[in-house]
Amino acid sequence: MAYGAVSAICMILHNIIVIGGDQLNWPYSRSILISFGLVTTVGYALQSLLTFNQALNKRTYFRYVIAMSANIPLAFVALWVWHDVVRLAMIWASPIATFSMVAINLLLSRWAILVQPTRVA
């Protein structure tokens, strides 16, 4: 349940940035990178504390940033398909692109926050 609520917050924040950027005639790259910086930090804190009940630390934050960086090319491709190929207005294309990435984000979040690296003795 917490994953869904945190994801909804992150999706709303991302879509506000991308749709707002489109209204300001920003290129995808600017909107996506601004969204990445803000949403990744907010998402890490909320997913760690609320979804996975884990303390915040630099190691898992770094892993989360690396895992979520997979969203950058996925966001470009998803927006391109829905906005440029299918020709949907950004107000529709951005949310559809965002929902198409939810399952990938769940798997990457679990890996980044919960999986402990094995140490070779």
Side-chain angles (χ1 to χ4, degrees), residues 14 18 28 32-33 36 66-83 93-108:
H14 169 76
V18 172
Y28 292 169
I32 289 171
L33 292 176
F36 176 76
I66 296 299
M68 292 300 108
S69 68
N71 283 314
I72 295 171
L74 292 173
F76 276 109
V77 170
L79 280 175
W80 175 76
V81 167
W82 293 108
H83 186 257
S94 183
I96 293 169
T98 301
F99 277 106
S100 68
M101 296 167 39
V102 170
I104 292 167
N105 284 323
L106 172 60
L107 295 173
L108 292 173

Side-chain angles (χ1 to χ4, degrees), residues 8 13 22 25 32 38 48-49 60-61 67 72 77-78 81 84 89 98 101 105 112 116 120-121:
L13 184 57
D22 184 64
N25 293 316
I32 289 171
L38 188 57
S48 292
L49 297 172
T60 57
Y61 178 69
I72 295 171
V77 170
V81 167
D84 295 342
T98 301
M101 296 167 39
N105 284 323
Q116 299 298 317
V120 178

